[in-house]
Amino acid sequence: MAYDLITMGRIGVDLYPLQTGVPLPQVTSFGKFLGGSATNVAVAAARLGRRTAVITRTGDDPFGTYLHEALKGFGVDDRWVTPVPGLPTPVTFCEVFPPDDFPLYFYRQPKAPDLEIDAHELDLDAIRDARVFWVTGTGLSEEPSRTATLAALAHRAKSGTTVFDLDWRPMFWTDPDAARPFYEEALRHTTVAVGNLDEVEVATGVREPHAAARALLDAGVELAVVKQGPKGVLAVNRDGESAEVPPLPVNVLNGLGAGDAFGGSLVHGLLAGWDLEKTMRHANAAGAIVASRLECSSAMPTPDEIEAAVTAGAVK
């Protein structure tokens, strides 16, 4: 039976402070959570009832064991999560200064295991058969993950829905110009592109949302989703349909997982065949709900929670 969603990319352990508004040197206690954007998207979609799996790699260490246990607990298939001897499982710290300052500190040295995904180890048939396949920009930042990501996209050949999460993380690249050729190649093989204003600018050289959406469509995708921060989200498809949806009012606690919740709900809406506006409203609501909570993976909302937020027009 084909998966509803297979994601490929980053995984790690999030160590988030249990005190808000406190600089990291003064934090005295942390919560430990499953993290990594591609992994969180798989968790978010599983929370919405979808059959999901993730392709990634961990260290051969206790944190790697924890990530396997967490994935199984969230109902995400971990069969393609493999260890890399000699490399530690990454950890990520953050500081929490609501409503809009959440500095991230990635510990992925000497190299993150999820960048050691090898094309020769991919289950290409499963990737081709999945209803949705999701890759990220971070997966293009180093070899062999770069070749593996592009090989998976080429083999899939736009069957089903193929999503490219632009996922621009400047600390993983020398500069945007180094990233753009690989982003352009990935866009040739994908049907949906998702990114914020910084990310669409890296991918296309264009920052204005409507122009960036057109540039993404010109690059080969069928649906462009541009996140505009406080202005909400813009979605435009190749048929000329568009939806621009404002964000839901929310008291933000930690905004870091909101984009991954948005992604899981976007996948759910695409699979359900919803129209653009309904899909974007539910994805916005999912993101807002997670922004109101401290953690990411374990904070992913249920269908009833998203529906309640959409109906109320705010996160209560």
Side-chain angles (χ1 to χ4, degrees):
M1 180 178 173
Y3 291 88
D4 291 321
L5 169 68
I6 295 177
T7 69
M8 179 174 171
R10 204 164 64 243
I11 195 171
V13 177
D14 288 344
L15 296 174
Y16 284 180
L18 299 182
Q19 297 119 316
T20 62
V22 179
L24 206 53
Q26 280 74 57
V27 173
T28 58
S29 56
F30 296 84
K32 179 180 66 163
F33 309 103
L34 171 75
S37 61
T39 304
N40 280 338
V41 169
V43 171
R47 188 65 59 87
L48 298 175
R50 297 300 178 176
R51 184 170 184 251
T52 72
V54 60
I55 301 168
T56 190
R57 306 197 73 182
T58 71
D60 189 8
D61 54 25
F63 274 150
T65 301
Y66 160 70
L67 293 175
H68 278 278
E69 293 172 350
L71 285 168
K72 291 173 182 175
F74 289 128
V76 177
D77 196 322
D78 67 341
R79 70 181 62 194
W80 296 304
V81 182
T82 57
V84 180
L87 290 180
T89 298
V91 297
T92 303
F93 290 87
C94 78
E95 294 174 302
V96 180
F97 297 106
D100 58 5
D101 187 19
F102 309 102
L104 275 171
Y105 304 90
F106 291 98
Y107 290 78
R108 292 167 60 85
Q109 290 81 26
K111 185 179 184 180
D114 54 59
L115 293 174
E116 284 292 312
I117 300 171
D118 192 287
H120 298 97
E121 299 172 353
L122 296 175
D123 187 337
L124 292 173
D125 289 340
I127 289 170
R128 185 193 59 235
D129 292 343
R131 298 177 68 193
V132 179
F133 180 53
W134 180 289
V135 301
T136 74
T138 296
L140 299 172
S141 65
E142 288 194 43
E143 294 290 3
S145 172
R146 176 185 298 149
T147 293
T149 300
L150 294 175
L153 290 172
H155 184 82
R156 186 167 167 84
K158 292 192 174 183
S159 59
T161 298
T162 305
V163 183
F164 181 22
D165 175 4
L166 302 178
D167 184 41
W168 167 248
R169 304 284 178 168
M171 67 285 293
F172 300 155
W173 295 86
T174 53
D175 59 64
D177 289 339
R180 189 164 294 134
F182 302 113
Y183 274 57
E184 290 173 349
E185 177 65 16
L187 286 168
R188 289 181 51 240
H189 299 290
T190 53
T191 62
V192 180
V194 183
N196 61 30
L197 296 178
D198 291 336
E199 292 165 339
V200 298
E201 185 175 17
V202 168
T204 68
V206 180
R207 188 173 182 86
E208 194 282 322
H210 291 269
R214 287 194 297 272
L216 290 169
L217 294 172
D218 290 342
V221 305
E222 297 170 12
L223 172 63
V225 180
V226 181
K227 302 173 187 175
Q228 306 176 82
K231 291 186 65 178
V233 62
L234 168 68
V236 182
N237 68 20
R238 187 169 294 282
D239 295 330
E241 298 173 308
S242 66
E244 194 160 7
V245 177
L248 286 186
V250 58
N251 291 320
V252 174
L253 177 58
N254 182 359
L256 291 175
D260 302 331
F262 180 101
S265 183
L266 169 65
V267 168
H268 181 63
L270 293 172
L271 288 172
W274 294 344
D275 62 41
L276 273 187
E277 180 156 344
K278 180 176 180 178
T279 300
M280 293 304 121
R281 287 194 182 281
H282 279 70
N284 260 1
I289 290 167
V290 172
S292 73
R293 300 170 176 174
L294 174 65
E295 65 273 25
C296 294
S297 53
S298 54
M300 296 302 171
T302 65
D304 287 346
E305 288 174 325
I306 295 173
E307 196 61 53
V310 170
T311 300
V315 177
K316 301 297 186 181

